[in-house]
Amino acid sequence: MRISYKWLQNYIELKNSPKEVAEKLTSIGLEVESIEYLGKKYDGFVVGEVVEVSKHPNADRLSVCKVRLSQSTDAQQIVCGAPNVAAGQKVIVGLPGATIPKNQHDPDGKSFSLTKAKIRGIESNGMICSSYELGIGEDKNGIIVLDSSTPVGISLSQYLKLDDIVFELGITPNRPDCLSHIGVARDLAAVYGSSLKYPKVDFVEKKNFSINKIFTVKVENNDDCPRYTARVIENVTVKESPEWLKQFLSAVGLRPINNIVDITNFVMLEFGQPLHAFDFNNLAKNTIIVKRARVKEKFTTLDKKSHELNGTELMICDGDRSVAIGGVMGGMNSEISEATKTVLLESAFFSPTSVRKTAKRLGISTDASYRFERGTDPNMVDEASRRAAGLIAEIAGGEIVQGVIDVYPKVIEKIKIELRIFKVNDILGTNLSLEKINGLLQTLGIETQVKNNSLICSVPTYRPDIEQEIDLIEEVARLYGYDNIPNQTTVHSVFSQPSKIELHINEIRSWCESVGLHEVMTNSLLDEATALLYSTELIKVKNPLSVDLEVMRPMLLPTMLTAVLHNYNHGATSVRLFEIGSTFLAKHSEKTTRIQGISEYNKLGLILSGNAHDLTWYSKEREYDIFDLKGMVQSLLSKLGLDNIHLIYYDASSSLTEQTIGIEINGTYVGFLGQCSQKVLAQHKIERKVLYCELDLSVLIAVDEVRKFKEYSKFPSVKRDIAFVVKKNITAGDIETAIKESGGASVTSISLFDIFEGASIGEGNKSLAFSVTMQSREKTLTDSGIDALMKKIIASVVSTYGATLRSL
């Protein structure tokens, strides 16, 4: 953002040098990236008078000139090659040491420095310049001839009135109020303690002739256009702008076009409010309608580029067609030209989101869109319109039609924030009084009311970045001066206890590491085709980095399998992994998320694959099987104190796993374990068997009981073996449960030590042999007591499962 030092002084009296002002701006957060002295590049150029011209004795196309450079010095000899040089002319002379901006004899127009030189034997003490050589025109055929009244000896920067200094400010996106000269002057006035002078808006309207009689405005989309104003100025004369206006615009990098367009640009740079001027006579049916574009509508903007619209753009339309893209750029069909006699002046507040999306999609960036995208002041819309209308009446000789059309159905009010004085001093480490803080905030235009030891602050709408108390504290720090805040180092030792959830998760992580599992952290995004193998309730990312990362993972398995493949591709013979991470499904659950339609789960994934034992002289090579993983999971649950475990064995294979075992704890489903199916492994190009378990951490860590340890029984234990013949579909786990329930507290452990199938026990049957350990904590078990207990156990199993006792 370019800010003119000379222009700033219209609103604030600056007694400080430009360098000091730049330092002050930087200190309050408006970083000055550079300072440009506009006339500096013309140092060494002065206005001279040609008093004598003669032909060069050694060159037909050169002239030897005597040029007077001041009233008190003798004329200097300068050799000139221009055909139009003549005695009596006022010209621009570059003195030795000056840098000529453009060399007309160089194909690239590179600059060069002047020195005293002999040209074809004749000494030359400078150079008479053309407009091209000075960079202020394109004429290479002759020198610039100035008006005869131009004083001799003045510098070129004086002649061109390049006495301004421009600051290049790096305005952060949260400070749209400083994308204007008044906004910057407001901050300077606050920090210097000066008063801010707003421009006077004073004009006379045509009486007895209201704008409502000749024009109408209809806003169909109030969300994207909360406010729209229109004024009409008649009998204007479109012509070149006055010098002062052109100089201001040129100083900040805008090319003057004509007086109407230049005024709208001037007011935009003054107030920060973009405006647009339409040729009134090119607007059909004397109406403006603000609405969405039609799908596939073609529109040509002022830069003569055609755009195809998709229906999301906010358009400014007349009675028949679109005439501008709201907040971005006007159209060729309604632009101001020399034939324009009546102007419709638009000043509006457009939604930053709407303008940003439209400008980005169409690839258009303008000074107007740059400001609308960051947020303009909705309550400055009419003031800027009045200012522009007054200047058009003054400069273009127009007559302002009485009244203004102002469509503003829902006024955007100032927000109120409570600022606690103790909080300001606590955060800044200061001891500022309420009166001091109040004074600092009021200089920014923030209205305040004292309430106990707090301030109720009404934040003006030109400061959309101030939303909460901490933002106000930042403003206090900025104006008070960061250098004035004491640089004290304070230490606060906070010894906080980790939460119970963190303790449980750390316990699980430590256990996994202790049994030789390696932790992985994989990407939570994957491609849609892979994700569909695991679930159809997918959550797609709106702006994915690539098609390979467009869906949030529904399980840990697919991303963990990428780690398995990576290890095998790098020579691993076995893989033992675990991951603690989140999975996501497109459904709503109050327990898992606050976002409607999305559920997030915290899961533990375990993977075993490859060799459980490599080939050695004392053992054979063996791959991991389902029992390795089952034993590991049971060991983990036992470590966590979860003993009421029920394993559910599924006969049918799922699309994901084979030999699947469901796991319930206290009647709550917690997860499953199984062997990955060949379809899943083929998708990931893994050729070896992979065993996988996924557990819901929210269930595992929900157990918050104090663990109690019991001493060993002082009485001896007794072991009895027992075997049953049962149907093949009855699991060993079912028999174990029956034994434990019927044996009660006296049964301390049950171990399956044999499974037999054969013709001797009948087709469709199997034999399960268990070793049952019994022990009492109160007495030594007698033979009769043990026999009675065994009879009870046998009777329970026989009656429940139709088992037959088999002799061992």
Side-chain angles (χ1 to χ4, degrees):
M1 174 68 189
R2 290 172 66 86
I3 294 292
S4 160
Y5 179 77
K6 190 175 180 180
W7 196 343
L8 276 177
Q9 295 186 81
N10 290 330
Y11 320 109
I12 179 175
E13 184 180 356
L14 291 175
K15 299 178 181 179
N16 307 77
S17 68
K19 184 178 179 181
E20 291 171 335
V21 171
E23 290 173 354
K24 184 61 70 174
L25 286 170
T26 299
S27 73
I28 59 175
L30 306 179
E31 182 182 0
V32 177
E33 297 175 344
S34 64
I35 305 176
E36 181 182 352
Y37 294 80
L38 296 183
K40 189 172 181 60
K41 64 180 178 181
Y42 292 126
D43 285 354
F45 293 89
V46 297
V47 174
E49 181 181 10
V50 180
V51 295
E52 180 183 321
V53 177
S54 60
K55 292 185 68 64
H56 194 291
N58 302 319
D60 293 338
R61 295 186 179 182
L62 298 179
S63 302
V64 180
C65 306
K66 297 291 185 180
V67 183
R68 184 163 55 87
L69 301 179
S70 72
Q71 298 292 345
S72 58
T73 58
D74 296 332
Q76 297 291 315
Q77 180 174 283
I78 296 175
V79 176
C80 178
N84 64 328
V85 65
Q89 292 174 338
K90 299 290 181 67
V91 295
I92 297 173
V93 178
L95 303 176
T99 299
I100 301 296
K102 288 186 176 182
N103 183 354
Q104 68 182 44
H105 302 295
D106 185 277
D108 299 323
K110 293 181 179 178
S111 62
F112 67 95
S113 297
L114 283 175
T115 59
K116 284 186 179 182
K118 284 190 176 183
I119 301 176
R120 295 288 183 93
I122 302 297
E123 186 177 84
S124 180
N125 297 302
M127 176 178 175
I128 304 175
C129 303
S130 67
S131 62
Y132 177 84
E133 289 164 332
L134 293 172
I136 57 176
E138 296 299 323
D139 187 6
K140 299 181 180 180
N141 297 321
I143 59 172
I144 298 176
V145 179
L146 307 179
D147 187 87
S148 59
S149 61
T150 307
V152 173
I154 65 170
S155 67
L156 176 57
S157 59
Q158 283 180 283
Y159 173 75
L160 296 176
K161 297 182 180 178
L162 295 176
D163 54 348
D164 203 353
I165 298 148
V166 174
F167 305 114
E168 185 70 47
L169 301 187
I171 305 295
T172 54
N174 67 317
R175 291 301 306 274
D177 59 302
C178 287
L179 294 175
S180 66
H181 283 74
I182 287 178
V184 174
R186 185 189 296 116
D187 266 23
L188 282 174
V191 76
Y192 280 133
S194 305
S195 57
L196 184 66
K197 299 178 291 183
Y198 282 94
K200 289 184 178 180
V201 179
D202 190 16
F203 57 77
V204 177
E205 295 179 330
K206 290 178 66 176
K207 299 297 182 184
N208 303 321
F209 189 65
S210 172
I211 187 175
N212 294 300
K213 294 181 179 180
I214 61 171
F215 206 80
T216 59
V217 173
K218 182 180 180 182
V219 179
E220 295 183 359
N221 186 347
N222 291 115
D223 291 333
D224 292 341
C225 181
R227 188 177 190 184
Y228 191 96
T229 69
R231 274 190 166 84
V232 174
I233 304 97
E234 296 180 326
N235 301 321
V236 300
T237 302
V238 180
K239 57 184 178 180
E240 188 176 344
S241 296
E243 281 301 317
W244 68 267
L245 180 53
K246 292 193 292 184
Q247 287 169 13
F248 275 143
L249 295 179
S250 297
V252 296
L254 287 187
R255 178 176 61 88
I257 297 173
N258 59 54
N259 53 359
I260 305 298
V261 175
D262 292 350
I263 287 168
T264 62
N265 286 333
F266 175 83
V267 175
M268 175 185 69
L269 294 170
E270 183 177 52
F271 282 87
Q273 170 63 43
L275 304 103
H276 188 72
F278 297 98
D279 188 324
F280 183 90
N281 295 324
N282 287 338
L283 299 176
K285 300 178 182 178
N286 290 359
T287 187
I288 283 289
I289 304 172
V290 184
K291 61 183 180 179
R292 290 279 175 88
R294 301 187 308 275
V295 177
K296 294 189 177 180
E297 177 183 351
K298 300 284 187 179
F299 185 74
T300 302
T301 46
L302 283 170
D303 55 5
K304 300 181 181 180
K305 293 182 180 179
S306 179
H307 302 274
E308 182 174 290
L309 310 179
N310 66 3
T312 63
E313 301 85 357
L314 185 71
M315 303 302 293
I316 313 301
C317 310
D318 62 14
D320 295 333
R321 60 191 175 165
S322 297
V323 293
I325 303 174
V328 179
M329 188 180 286
M332 289 284 293
N333 52 15
S334 60
E335 68 174 331
I336 299 296
S337 67
E338 291 183 358
T340 300
K341 295 301 179 185
T342 303
V343 171
L344 178 81
L345 183 63
E346 169 194 279
S347 182
F349 174 69
F350 297 110
S351 161
T353 302
S354 172
V355 174
R356 182 165 53 249
K357 287 180 178 179
T358 298
K360 184 177 180 180
R361 196 188 75 78
L362 298 180
I364 302 175
S365 180
T366 62
D367 289 317
S369 68
Y370 184 81
R371 286 163 175 78
F372 281 126
E373 287 174 18
R374 286 154 178 77
T376 57
D377 181 6
N379 295 312
M380 186 58 71
V381 168
D382 186 54
E383 185 69 12
S385 174
R386 286 171 51 82
R387 170 67 163 161
L391 288 172
I392 291 173
E394 176 186 340
I395 295 172
E399 297 176 303
I400 302 171
V401 175
Q402 186 178 22
V404 59
I405 298 175
D406 190 352
V407 182
Y408 196 14
K410 187 177 180 181
V411 177
I412 299 173
E413 303 286 355
K414 299 177 180 180
I415 65 170
K416 292 189 176 183
I417 303 171
E418 182 178 358
L419 179 64
R420 297 164 293 176
I421 304 305
F422 83 89
K423 193 68 174 178
V424 176
N425 290 317
D426 184 50
I427 289 178
L428 300 183
T430 54
N431 190 27
L432 300 176
S433 66
L434 184 147
E435 290 74 19
K436 178 66 174 178
I437 294 170
N438 191 23
L440 291 173
L441 293 176
Q442 286 184 352
T443 60
L444 290 174
I446 298 174
E447 298 173 358
T448 59
Q449 289 181 334
V450 178
K451 180 183 178 182
N452 299 327
N453 200 33
S454 299
L455 294 173
I456 307 300
C457 302
S458 296
V459 181
T461 49
Y462 55 74
R463 289 299 303 270
D465 58 309
I466 301 178
E467 298 177 329
Q468 50 191 330
E469 184 181 36
I470 193 66
D471 298 325
L472 289 169
I473 295 173
E474 182 182 354
E475 292 303 298
V476 172
R478 201 167 61 87
L479 295 181
Y480 181 63
Y482 297 117
D483 293 339
N484 296 325
I485 297 174
N487 186 14
Q488 297 177 344
T489 302
T490 59
V491 177
H492 297 280
S493 298
V494 180
F495 299 98
S496 60
Q497 291 293 328
S499 68
K500 292 178 180 179
I501 292 177
E502 290 174 318
L503 289 173
H504 279 302
I505 290 178
N506 287 336
E507 184 179 15
I508 293 169
R509 179 177 281 110
S510 297
W511 182 89
C512 291
E513 293 170 349
S514 70
V515 297
L517 296 174
H518 301 283
E519 185 173 12
V520 293
M521 288 180 285
T522 58
N523 200 325
S524 60
L525 298 172
L526 68 162
D527 63 282
E528 185 175 9
T530 301
L532 284 170
L533 292 174
Y534 300 89
S535 177
T536 57
E537 298 175 319
L538 302 180
I539 301 169
K540 295 190 70 173
V541 179
K542 286 186 176 180
N543 55 340
L545 295 175
S546 70
V547 292
D548 295 328
L549 301 171
E550 62 178 344
V551 176
M552 303 183 78
R553 63 184 176 192
M555 293 178 65
L556 297 179
L557 178 57
T559 53
M560 290 188 74
L561 286 176
T562 61
V564 173
L565 179 63
H566 178 82
N567 278 271
Y568 278 139
N569 287 342
H570 287 76
T573 58
S574 65
V575 180
R576 300 163 59 92
L577 305 176
F578 80 95
E579 179 171 9
I580 296 173
S582 295
T583 63
F584 309 87
L585 292 175
K587 60 182 181 180
H588 185 67
S589 171
E590 293 293 341
K591 295 181 179 180
T592 58
T593 185
R594 296 181 181 178
I595 303 174
Q596 186 71 32
I598 296 178
S599 290
E600 179 178 354
Y601 305 91
N602 201 13
K603 296 293 184 74
L604 168 66
L606 306 175
I607 276 185
L608 295 179
S609 182
N611 295 341
H613 298 295
D614 290 328
L615 179 64
T616 65
W617 64 271
Y618 58 84
S619 65
K620 295 181 179 180
E621 183 179 86
R622 182 179 74 83
E623 272 197 310
Y624 284 112
D625 58 30
I626 192 70
F627 301 106
D628 291 306
L629 185 59
K630 176 187 170 187
M632 182 175 286
V633 171
Q634 287 178 313
S635 178
L636 169 61
L637 298 179
S638 176
K639 169 68 176 176
L640 298 175
L642 303 170
D643 52 6
N644 190 10
I645 303 166
H646 182 212
L647 302 180
I648 307 168
Y649 298 89
Y650 297 100
D651 292 331
S653 298
S654 71
S655 61
L656 299 178
T657 56
E658 303 165 358
Q659 298 180 319
T660 307
I661 302 173
I663 305 169
E664 286 185 354
I665 300 174
N666 297 326
T668 301
Y669 182 79
V670 70
F672 70 94
L673 62 91
Q675 179 180 322
C676 293
S677 69
Q678 288 300 315
K679 180 180 179 181
V680 168
L681 295 178
Q683 175 73 19
H684 291 272
K685 300 179 181 179
I686 298 174
E687 298 178 354
R688 301 196 68 172
K689 180 168 63 176
V690 176
L691 302 158
Y692 176 71
C693 173
E694 185 166 295
L695 301 175
D696 191 337
L697 279 178
S698 64
V699 179
L700 297 185
I701 64 181
V703 177
D704 191 27
E705 298 177 357
V706 177
R707 298 176 190 174
K708 297 179 180 180
F709 296 90
K710 297 179 180 179
E711 61 180 347
Y712 288 108
S713 175
K714 299 176 181 179
F715 303 98
S717 62
V718 178
K719 186 178 291 186
R720 293 284 189 272
D721 295 338
I722 188 172
F724 296 100
V725 177
V726 295
K727 297 295 182 182
K728 282 186 178 181
N729 63 339
I730 297 173
T731 66
D734 294 334
I735 305 298
E736 284 185 9
T737 301
I739 293 171
K740 188 171 184 180
E741 289 178 350
S742 58
S746 295
V747 176
T748 57
S749 70
I750 306 167
S751 176
L752 176 69
F753 66 86
D754 182 64
I755 301 175
F756 172 75
E757 295 180 17
S760 61
I761 60 173
E763 186 70 25
N765 295 329
K766 64 182 177 182
S767 171
L768 302 174
F770 299 90
S771 181
V772 181
T773 302
M774 293 166 283
Q775 187 180 34
S776 172
R777 301 186 64 83
E778 300 171 353
K779 62 181 179 179
T780 300
L781 295 175
T782 63
D783 288 342
S784 60
I786 294 169
D787 291 342
L789 186 59
M790 290 300 294
K791 286 181 181 179
K792 184 180 179 182
I793 291 171
I794 292 168
S796 174
V797 175
V798 169
S799 64
T800 304
Y801 295 105
T804 302
L805 185 66
R806 181 182 178 219
S807 61
L808 294 172

